[in-house]
Every structure is written in C-alpha cells, then in structure tokens.
Amino acid sequence: MAKKTTPMMEQYQKVKDQYPDAFLFYRLGDFYELFNDDAVKGAQLLELTLTTRNHSAKNPIPMCGVPHRAVNNYIDILIDKGYKVAICEQMEDPKKAKGMVKRAVTRLITPGTQMDLNGEQARDNNYLAAVSQQEGKFNLAYTDLSTGELKTTTLASTNELINELVNLQSKEVVVDGDLSSQLTTQFKQRNILQSHQPTILKNAEISYLTQDLEASAQQHVVALLVSYLLTTQKRSLAHMQKAISYQPSSFMKIDHYSKTNLELMTNMRSGKRQGTLAWLLDETKTAMGSRLLKRWIDRPLIDPTAIGERQDKVQELLDHYFERSNLQQELIKVYDLERLAGRVAYGSVSGRDLIQLKTSLQQVPKIKYVLETLDSPVFEELQGKLDPLSDVAELIERSIVEEPPIAITDGGVIKDGYNDQLDQYRDAMNNGKQWIADMQERERKLTGINNLKIGYNHVFGYYIEVTKVNLDKLPQDRYERKQTLVNAERFSTPELKEKEALIMGAQEKSTALEYDLFVKIREQVKAQIKRLQNLAQQLAELDVLQSFAVVSEDYHFVRPKMNTGHSLKIKDGRHPVVEKFMGHQEYVPNDVMMDDKTDILLITGPNMSGKSTYMRQLALIAVMAQIGCFVPAQSAELPIFDQVFTRIGAADDLISGESTFMVEMMEANNALMHATDRSLILFDEIGRGTATYDGMALAQAIIEYVHSHVRAKTLFSTHYHELTALENSLEHLKNVHVGATEKNGELVFLHKVSAGPADKSYGIHVAKLAGMPTSLLKRADVILQKLEQKDVKLPSLSEQKPSNYHAEPISAKVSEPVKNEEEDAPKVEQNGQLELFEPPVAKSKSSVDRRIIHQLKELNLMGMTPMDVMNQIYKWQQKLK
Ligand code: ADP
C-alpha cells in the first residue's frame, strides 16, 4: 500500500531527491527542519531533540529543527565534520502564497565552498580542488572561493597529487569519473570529501576563466571545477580570477612529510600554529597578508632574481624604521579586501562591508605616500601600480551612511543627498511626523483633553488615544472607534487616515528605493572587482615584506647570500623557533660549513645534545632564505635548493597505518630517488628502527649511495659511532659532533657543533638524567664495558663491494618488511654477547608462541601509543606466519 504523504512532504521529497548526499535544511516559518534520516543523524550530530511529524500516523516522520537565526552555527558544525548542507528557502511570502509555498534550494554548502570563515580560519585559505586523470597523469585545479584564486597544474603520480592536496589542506575534491580505488582510499584516510560532477558546462564564464591555459587537460579540469561551483553555488562567480597554470618544479619542493617534520605550518604535537615557522614569521597586519605568507612558505622560490627582489624590499623596509611603522599603521586599517571582493561578487555584501571597503581604500593613498617617501627604486614599480580605486571609495563615501545597519532591506543605509527621489520620500516621512505632532496639539485644544495622544502600532496604524475618564469630552461626530483598552479607547479620523497613507507609503517606497539603490551601488563596485583583487594582492605582498622586516629586526636575522654553486657557509646559525622559546642568550649558535667538495656531514653526539635541532636549523634557514626572508645567523651563504627531504625522528604515520620502520625506509627511499645534487637531505638516526647491525649496515649503505650517486647536501645524524670511520674512505664526507662534557659524573650538554667525531655516546648518562635507578645504571656500565671490548669494524666502500654491487636504490615496494626479531624480545645478540640476560632460545614454533604470550602479558599498554601497539602486533603476526 502506498504511503500517504502530505503535499508538503511530497515537495520535500522532490527536493531531497536532488540532494541525496547533503543534509537538507528545509525552511518552515522561523525554522529550518530536517526530516527522516537527515533528522535522525542531524539530531545526533547537532545535539538537537528528535521529534516526529504526524505522530498519530502509523509511520511518523522523524524530524528536528534549528531556528533560522542560529542556522550558521549548525551549518558550520556539519561542514567541519565533512558533510554537505543544502539550504531550501521559501521563495514567496507564505501569507500571499496560493496553495503550497514555493521552495527551492538556494545554496549548497560543502567543505570546500564554505565562505564565511571567522576568527583564526580567516587567516587560512579554504581550497576546493578538482582532479581528472588522463594518460596516467593527474590534472589538478584548485580555488579559494572566498578570494577567487584559481590555479591548475599537472602531476605525474598519485604521490605527487596527494602531496599537493595535503599541502593545500583541501577538504573536498571534485571528480568527473571514477578514480582508482587506491586514490579513493587515500582521500578517505585524509578526510577529503569526494564530490562528483558528471556534467561539464560550456559557457562564456568558463571560456573566460580558462582562456590563458594552453593544455586542454588543464582547461578540462578547471572547467570541471567551475561547473561544480556553478551547479552548487547558484550565484555569480564574477570574482573568480583567470586560471593560472603553474609548475610545481618552479618552486622548492618539500613533501608533506618534511613540511610536517620541519613544523612549517603546524606544530607536530599540538596541531596548532604556535611554535611553527609560519607563526614566528607572521607579523602581518592583514588577514590577506597572513594567508599570503603561508602560501610563500608553502612554495619557496628557486629563481635567484625573484628571491633577490624580495630581499631588496625587506632590506629597504628594515633600514627605514619610521616609514615601516607608518606603513603598518595604514595596513592595520585595511580589511580583508580579497574576501570583501568575494562577497561583492556573491551579492552578499552589506552596507557595513562597503564601509570597510571604503576605509581600506582610503588607506591606499597614504600607503602610496609612504612608499614615495622611501624614495627607493625597489618600490618604484609597486608605488606606481597601487590603485586606490578612488572612484569606488568616492561612490561609497557619497552613498552609504557611516554606520549602516546590518540588514540592507530595512532602509537607513543610503545617505541623504545621494538620490533626489529618496530625499523626497524622506521629507514626506519627516513632514508627516511633524504633521502628526501638530495634529495632536490641535486635537488637544479642540477637545480640551490634555493627555490625548496620537500613537502608532503595527497592527492598527496611527490612532488617537483618549483615556476612559475623558471619553465624554470627545465630540461624537468625526471619531471612529478602532480599539478598546482597559483604560482607554483608540480612534481614527478621516484626516488621520489620509496622512497615515501618505506617511506609510513614503516609508515603504523609501525602503524599496534604498534597496534598489544599494543593489546598483553594489553592481558598480562589482564591475571593478579585478582592480580590487590586484590591489589586494599588492597590499598582501607589502604586508608580508614588512612582516619579514619586523622579524628580521626583532630576531637579528641577516640577509643571506644566495650562490649558484655548491658551497654553504653559515656562521653562527640558529633555530629561530627554538631560540624564540629559550631566549637569544641561552641558544648556542652553530656553524654549518660545507664547501664545494663536502656533501655529507655525519653528525654524532649524545642524545638530547642538539643534533636534530642543528639539522632542522639548516632546513629552516634554507626555506627562509628562499621565501625572501632574512635568516637567523651571523652571516649566511647558501646555494639555492631545488628540494628538501627530511627523515627526522620516528614520526608515526598513523593515518596509513604502516609500520614506523617501513615509513622510515619509504621516506629515505623517496629522498634517494628524487634528490638531485641541488637538494638538501636531512637524515636523522636512519636505521634506528631495526636491529643494530641491520640498521648500521643500512645507514652506511645509504650514506655511500648518497655519496656516489646523489651528491645532495646531506646532514646525517647517527648514534652508530662506527660510521664515523667513513670519513677515511669517503672524500665528500666530514664528521662533526655535538659536544658534551662530564662534570662530576654528570653530563653537561654544550650544544656546540665542532669538527670530528664524538668520542662517546653518553646514552647511560642520559638515562641517568632521566632518573633511572642507580643499580640499573651501574649494571649498564658493566655491560657497556664488556661490549666495548669487542671492536666492531665496518667495511669501507672500496674493500667491501661485492662484484655484483649495483647500489640499487631501496624499493618502496618492499613487500616483506625487514624482520625485527631482536627489537622486541629481551635482547639476545646472535654472537652471544648479551647472554648476560638470558641464554639464546631455539626458535621453535612453540617457543616463539610462548614468548609472544609472555610478551603480551608483560605489555605495558598505558605506556604505549596506539601506533606502538599496532607495530607490536604486526611484529607478532609476522613471527607467527
Ligand atoms: P638530539 O637530536 O641530539 O637528541 P635535539 O636536537 O632534540 O637533540 O635537542 C634536544 C634539546 O636541546 C632541544 O629541545 C633544545 O632544548 C636543546 N638544544 C638543542 N640545540 C640547542 C642549541 N644550539 N642551543 C641551546 N639549546 C639547544
């Protein structure tokens, strides 16, 4: 039997069918209602009370609702969780509607198209991406809908594509066909929503936006992206900028692992901005500047001229303190022009937005003036190009009141004197009010009732109010009763009715006219959007440059010299973020000296002595130099790096769930495969994740491979002392060590890097610092002495090459992860050295099983991360196979 549905639910269902993957917010009076599955899931996610419609019926319909005024908060919650929301509005006044009120979806909000970002988020871009696959390559387009930026590129592999998407922090990707299941899984793992856009539109807008693109595959992917926007947003995209094609290779490449490791944008522990390079360098005064800074950090330059141009400007601003402070004073008053331009195009701009726009534009002549007083050739071009859009500023100045109301529909937005007709209506309204006041006077005299008053309310309009005690004084003739109150009666007269019509008419007409005028003004501003966007871009750039000048001064950075050769000389370099936290005085600066012939620095030293910091410091200096900022050092000369690779610490890749050691090897391999002699590689304790000899052997082989095949500038830190002997056989390798001394049996870190290998590994001292029991430490000393009696010698490259040695790179497709028998079990070295603990056990199946059960019993779950547990279980599984 067909279910009986009401006409309203029929209408609802029709709309819902078009948006099956979105929460449908269906407008009913003052509420947006959710029905059926949307209601059940929505009530849970939004913590709303779930009720039912038609509860008396057999199949009541689940529903829940949110008040229309608070809708944005609820939308934000759903979007943040990665859902889509379709807003279905009433398209006519329900009072005037005949039959069902017409409703339609006016907007589909998705994670990638969310525009009204507030607070911290205003300083981030929100990128929507589109991907299409062609002949094994991936074409990518992306846009930030709020700013209109539109870019496209072609990427050669899944890895590169994921890398780029992760860098962009895209939350949504539009696709036209089915992507490989591998890619779909990757998207899911990274919380990237996939949206399908089956049809590609053809229209003038798309032709315009793709006009400058040569590759048809890129035109296609941009068209795909824009088609999705046109279909979902149902609004003008006038602020979208023509698509620009870029080559990832025209910037310094840093894969997202390395970006995370180096904490360029996000703090590894907290996931926040604090403690990152972006945080340290951000002294910008505008949200656009802050966003641009991040884009620069994301894509450091490789063109020496472009780097030099930025440095020249930073120098100029650094040298002119007063001009710089003036500039900051003006920039503070500049609002988010990029996003204002977006709102103008979208038609969602308010009177207040226009005032913000005007205030911002009014700063431009002052900024031009500051640049003029700098009187420097490096700013001459920008000075000339800055367009104050005085026509737009004047238009807003003439037309919009200084403090407009939030709504643009209730009047009070347009200034007096802007439009004659409006002035006349306003006169009529004002005169009318005066006339009413006069009438009250006349009526009082006429009737002798002194407290007679003329008032107004929405339902009854204008009325004459007379208290009950005075009613008998009122002549019977002209007064027509309108309303009875407890103490008074309200009346009207033909005269009052006539004036009322006039006044009310004028008011209605005036608000309607104001709205029309406002829309026209908005259109006029919209016509200038491209100029506005250029201005926004230029101001953002200026803002970032002044920010660089500020941090360079505050933190004593110097201008680095970029060379085209291979030598690297950093005198007294510092890690800017660590230094900021511990203070300039406390931080021990260190040199990095690598001449043309030195490719590898092998760094030894105790744990916690500062090896990682030293390595990161170099990478940060390189990134800072190539974004045009000055660097934390006494002097610095650097080659321009094409790529930076890092393998630092044991960053568990929780998302992909791979074993730590596997990740370590894959990242190392990535560096070995893609690094060139112009790259920078940081390998921190490579090989630590496996058994000692296994790890040491790998570490040495990796060093040798870099030495003979890659020739990238490489910093390699290790706790394998034995590796320091490599200096004798590898001519491009040098030992350095981070110093520490013993004072009264305690270890004192000097954090100072000097030439030569470290003499000891100090692990036991670090354990002591960590507060381990004295008896344990003593025992460790005994064991160490025993071990040290056995001298391990590693083969050198020349003596140990087997005849079939090809120095093949490690393949990422290691299907059999390196077995790691010794790691997890009580230490039992094959050579019997550690029999001190336990005699070697024959690895029969049952003894392995017993040991695993034993280890499982002993496992300290509370002291482990989920990833540790995963790894442990993985290892057991391998053993049981
Ligand atoms: P390692 O990699 O050798 O284990 P880290 O680089 O992690 O050591 O440094 C350990 C700690 O030592 C850092 O957290 C920092 O507080 C401090 N440190 C490192 N380098 C310096 C330095 N140059 N000056 C002062 N303190 C430093």
Side-chain angles (χ1 to χ4, degrees):
M1 195 181 79
K3 244 200 272 169
K4 252 187 111 180
T5 53
T6 59
M8 197 199 80
M9 283 315 289
E10 242 169 61
Q11 183 193 49
Y12 170 85
Q13 201 51 49
K14 262 192 204 148
V15 181
K16 178 67 200 174
D17 289 346
Q18 292 167 39
Y19 298 91
D21 61 345
F23 279 96
L24 182 62
F25 278 45
Y26 186 80
R27 182 74 180 257
L28 265 180
D30 282 344
F31 280 80
Y32 289 98
E33 302 287 359
L34 286 85
F35 296 111
N36 297 328
D37 292 348
D38 279 1
V40 176
K41 208 163 152 195
Q44 200 182 29
L45 292 168
L46 300 172
E47 296 175 16
L48 300 170
T49 318
L50 188 67
T51 58
T52 50
R53 200 177 165 81
N54 297 349
H55 20 231
S56 52
K58 248 198 187 153
N59 296 311
I61 299 165
M63 83 174 210
C64 62
V66 299
H68 81 103
R69 286 192 189 282
V71 70
N72 284 336
N73 300 337
Y74 292 102
I75 295 175
D76 286 351
I77 295 173
L78 292 175
I79 299 296
D80 281 349
K81 292 187 195 278
Y83 297 102
K84 299 182 179 182
V85 174
I87 302 291
C88 181
E89 293 288 359
Q90 293 170 165
M91 302 310 281
E92 56 189 345
D93 189 342
K95 283 187 213 122
K96 294 179 189 151
K98 292 192 187 95
M100 274 302 295
V101 179
K102 278 201 196 78
R103 288 190 179 80
V105 169
T106 52
R107 202 152 60 108
L108 179 69
I109 307 152
T110 70
T113 58
Q114 194 185 18
M115 288 240 304
D116 304 315
L117 303 167
N118 305 315
E120 264 288 283
Q121 287 175 318
R123 292 187 159 249
D124 292 327
N125 280 105
N126 183 20
Y127 288 121
L128 171 73
V131 174
S132 68
Q133 206 169 348
Q134 200 195 37
E135 293 162 11
K137 290 188 177 162
F138 296 95
N139 298 294
L140 168 77
Y142 67 84
T143 184
D144 179 336
L145 199 54
S146 62
T147 65
E149 177 189 358
L150 179 58
K151 300 257 167 69
T152 176
T153 190
T154 302
L155 300 159
S157 65
T158 320
N159 255 353
E160 284 188 25
L161 173 67
I162 293 292
N163 210 12
E164 202 66 5
L165 289 172
V166 173
N167 279 343
L168 293 168
Q169 296 181 324
S170 278
K171 294 186 219 127
E172 185 180 1
V173 172
V174 183
V175 294
D176 51 356
D178 287 331
L179 294 176
S180 70
S181 63
Q182 185 205 0
L183 212 54
T184 311
T185 319
Q186 293 250 26
F187 286 166
K188 276 204 189 114
Q189 282 170 346
R190 294 176 194 282
N191 265 338
I192 302 174
L193 180 73
Q194 237 186 100
S195 297
H196 287 271
Q197 173 64 31
T199 39
I200 306 240
L201 308 173
K202 272 196 180 134
N203 61 26
E205 198 154 12
I206 290 177
S207 314
Y208 168 77
L209 292 172
T210 53
Q211 199 171 336
D212 294 347
L213 300 176
E214 281 166 20
S216 65
Q218 291 187 354
Q219 287 175 2
H220 172 84
V221 75
V222 171
L224 169 66
L225 181 72
V226 180
S227 300
Y228 177 74
L229 288 176
L230 289 170
T231 329
T232 57
Q233 299 301 297
K234 303 168 192 286
R235 298 186 194 198
S236 150
L237 297 176
H239 68 304
M240 292 275 282
Q241 301 170 29
K242 271 194 224 171
I244 297 173
S245 170
Y246 71 96
Q247 292 275 347
S249 62
S250 48
F251 302 99
M252 180 203 248
K253 242 179 159 169
I254 320 175
D255 58 75
H256 68 266
Y257 282 118
S258 303
K259 278 183 184 162
T260 319
N261 279 332
L262 292 171
E263 307 195 299
L264 297 185
M265 309 280 187
T266 40
N267 185 305
M268 272 209 276
R269 267 147 296 139
S270 66
K272 299 244 163 68
R273 201 176 154 88
Q274 209 201 8
T276 63
L277 185 67
W279 165 79
L280 184 87
L281 299 185
D282 195 349
E283 288 293 333
T284 57
K285 301 291 172 202
T286 65
M288 329 176 258
S290 188
R291 289 195 299 266
L292 183 66
L293 170 64
K294 278 205 234 147
R295 293 205 292 273
W296 280 10
I297 294 177
D298 207 41
R299 299 189 197 282
L301 302 172
I302 50 170
D303 171 19
T305 319
I307 297 172
E309 280 172 7
R310 284 190 194 168
Q311 288 179 341
D312 285 343
K313 289 178 182 155
V314 174
Q315 184 76 59
E316 200 65 37
L317 292 166
L318 185 63
D319 293 344
H320 294 87
Y321 176 81
F322 288 107
E323 287 80 355
R324 190 172 84 227
S325 348
N326 287 342
L327 184 62
Q328 290 162 350
Q329 292 312 311
E330 308 310 341
L331 283 171
I332 287 175
K333 292 175 226 150
V334 175
Y335 290 86
D336 197 338
L337 287 178
E338 277 180 314
R339 292 208 160 141
L340 281 173
R343 288 216 280 279
V344 170
Y346 254 50
S348 57
V349 78
S350 69
R352 291 190 183 176
D353 290 333
L354 288 186
I355 293 298
Q356 288 189 354
L357 176 58
K358 180 186 78 175
T359 314
S360 308
L361 294 177
Q362 283 169 341
Q363 311 313 313
V364 182
K366 299 181 208 163
I367 291 171
K368 272 175 96 84
Y369 178 72
V370 177
L371 295 183
E372 206 181 307
T373 52
L374 272 177
D375 194 22
S376 151
V378 299
F379 280 113
E380 208 172 61
E381 194 187 334
L382 180 64
Q383 206 280 121
K385 271 202 220 152
L386 274 185
D387 172 5
L389 278 93
S390 33
D391 44 339
V392 175
E394 274 163 29
L395 169 68
I396 302 171
E397 172 69 28
R398 263 191 300 129
S399 58
I400 309 290
V401 299
E402 291 307 316
E403 287 178 20
I406 297 175
I408 52 167
T409 42
D410 302 342
V413 178
I414 305 288
K415 265 188 181 167
D416 283 340
Y418 177 68
N419 178 281
D420 287 346
Q421 183 69 57
L422 181 65
D423 289 347
Q424 280 173 27
Y425 289 143
R426 283 183 174 164
D427 266 356
M429 279 153 60
N430 292 337
N431 291 343
K433 280 181 188 142
Q434 185 56 49
W435 188 90
I436 297 277
D438 293 346
M439 180 175 176
Q440 182 169 287
E441 265 319 295
R442 262 187 284 125
E443 288 289 336
R444 281 184 183 172
K445 281 198 185 117
L446 214 73
T447 58
I449 307 172
N450 281 337
N451 65 355
L452 174 150
K453 68 174 187 208
I454 300 188
Y456 173 81
N457 83 19
H458 281 293
V459 185
F460 296 98
Y462 284 94
Y463 54 78
I464 299 171
E465 187 175 297
V466 180
T467 50
K468 291 223 161 119
V469 281
N470 290 317
L471 274 181
D472 51 353
K473 294 191 190 153
L474 207 62
Q476 292 300 314
D477 53 348
R478 292 182 299 127
Y479 300 88
E480 179 188 326
R481 195 177 307 250
K482 272 184 119 170
Q483 194 187 1
T484 305
L485 306 178
V486 185
N487 293 324
E489 296 276 340
R490 287 175 175 176
F491 303 91
S492 186
T493 65
E495 205 182 354
L496 188 60
K497 274 189 195 154
E498 189 191 318
K499 283 295 171 203
E500 179 180 306
L502 260 178
I503 297 169
M504 301 300 287
Q507 185 143 17
E508 237 168 59
K509 281 183 198 144
S510 123
T511 33
L513 177 59
E514 274 205 57
Y515 181 76
D516 286 350
L517 290 171
F518 186 82
V519 171
K520 281 203 187 100
I521 294 163
R522 195 163 68 190
E523 289 304 309
Q524 272 171 278
V525 178
K526 189 163 153 181
Q528 306 306 326
I529 273 185
K530 295 283 171 286
R531 286 167 66 202
L532 201 56
Q533 282 169 335
N534 281 341
L535 176 68
Q537 168 69 26
Q538 289 155 347
L539 292 181
E541 209 170 305
L542 199 55
D543 194 10
V544 180
L545 294 167
Q546 72 77 23
S547 178
F548 285 172
V550 171
V551 291
S552 297
E553 183 169 273
D554 288 357
Y555 305 129
H556 314 285
F557 295 166
V558 293
R559 178 173 184 160
K561 239 167 120 180
M562 310 310 289
N563 68 38
T564 44
H566 283 258
S567 70
L568 193 159
K569 290 183 208 148
I570 293 171
K571 181 100 196 71
D572 281 346
R574 283 122 48 206
H575 187 301
V577 182
V578 175
E579 182 188 33
K580 163 134 180 155
F581 281 116
M582 67 171 40
H584 189 57
Q585 300 303 329
E586 294 298 310
Y587 194 88
V588 181
N590 277 307
D591 298 347
V592 190
M593 295 291 170
M594 295 172 94
D595 57 19
D596 276 357
K597 300 206 175 52
T598 313
D599 294 331
I600 304 174
L601 289 186
L602 188 71
I603 311 165
T604 42
N607 268 337
M608 291 298 289
S609 61
K611 297 185 297 298
S612 304
T613 310
Y614 180 69
M615 298 170 83
R616 287 159 195 261
Q617 173 177 313
L618 176 60
L620 290 183
I621 289 179
V623 170
M624 288 167 78
Q626 288 181 233
I627 60 176
C629 186
F630 290 6
V631 301
Q634 201 177 44
S635 67
E637 189 183 328
L638 299 155
I640 293 178
F641 290 111
D642 63 349
Q643 302 170 81
V644 174
F645 298 92
T646 63
R647 168 60 223 177
I648 290 184
D652 289 348
D653 192 346
L654 274 174
I655 296 175
S656 61
E658 278 164 300
S659 91
T660 313
F661 185 64
M662 184 64 175
V663 173
E664 181 174 327
M665 288 299 112
M666 280 168 66
E667 284 175 36
N669 184 46
N670 182 39
L672 297 177
M673 293 284 75
H674 297 109
T676 71
D677 62 348
R678 312 212 56 85
S679 308
L680 174 65
I681 301 180
L682 309 182
F683 280 157
D684 192 358
E685 305 268 359
I686 282 270
R688 184 150 79 169
T690 181
T692 311
Y693 288 159
D694 197 14
M696 205 184 324
L698 266 170
Q700 179 174 344
I702 289 172
I703 294 175
E704 288 171 359
Y705 187 82
V706 171
H707 191 266
S708 45
H709 290 77
V710 184
R711 307 280 324 253
K713 289 273 182 259
T714 305
L715 301 193
F716 197 108
S717 80
T718 184
H719 64 290
Y720 299 129
H721 259 255
E722 297 78 359
L723 292 179
T724 55
L726 286 171
E727 195 180 43
N728 302 326
S729 54
L730 303 180
E731 61 166 320
H732 304 302
L733 178 144
K734 280 209 164 70
N735 281 318
V736 294
H737 70 279
V738 197
T741 58
E742 283 185 61
K743 234 187 198 170
N744 309 328
E746 301 279 325
L747 185 68
V748 179
F749 295 123
L750 303 173
H751 303 305
K752 193 74 197 167
V753 178
S754 333
D759 51 356
K760 268 186 172 183
S761 168
Y762 300 99
I764 298 173
H765 289 97
V766 177
K768 187 175 178 185
L769 285 186
M772 285 203 177
T774 325
S775 60
L776 184 153
L777 295 168
K778 278 195 180 145
R779 176 71 179 141
D781 255 334
V782 173
I783 300 170
L784 177 67
Q785 275 167 25
K786 269 208 125 176
L787 283 174
E788 278 179 349
Q789 286 161 12
K790 190 180 188 320
D791 198 9
V792 182
K793 276 224 167 62
L794 290 162
S796 76
L797 186 54
S798 50
E799 72 187 78
Q800 190 51 32
K801 235 180 192 178
S803 54
N804 60 348
Y805 181 84
H806 286 310
E808 280 301 326
I810 306 160
S811 158
K813 291 185 204 108
V814 187
S815 52
E816 267 285 286
V818 185
K819 289 237 171 96
N820 190 5
E821 302 284 351
E822 288 84 356
E823 257 266 301
D824 45 336
K827 292 284 178 200
V828 181
E829 295 279 17
Q830 252 59 344
N831 58 20
Q833 271 288 326
L834 289 186
E835 63 204 14
L836 304 151
F837 285 111
E838 194 183 301
V841 184
K843 283 188 181 138
S844 70
K845 181 119 178 73
S846 66
S847 82
V848 170
D849 288 3
R850 256 187 287 119
R851 281 175 55 181
I852 290 178
I853 290 172
H854 174 73
Q855 288 166 18
L856 176 60
K857 277 190 193 155
E858 296 295 312
L859 209 61
N860 171 19
L861 278 177
M862 299 320 278
M864 296 174 89
T865 66
M867 195 60 210
D868 290 336
V869 177
M870 278 284 288
N871 279 329
Q872 187 58 50
I873 295 175
Y874 177 76
K875 281 178 201 159
W876 286 333
Q877 221 177 30
Q878 292 302 309
K879 282 188 187 166
L880 291 171
K881 270 182 189 163

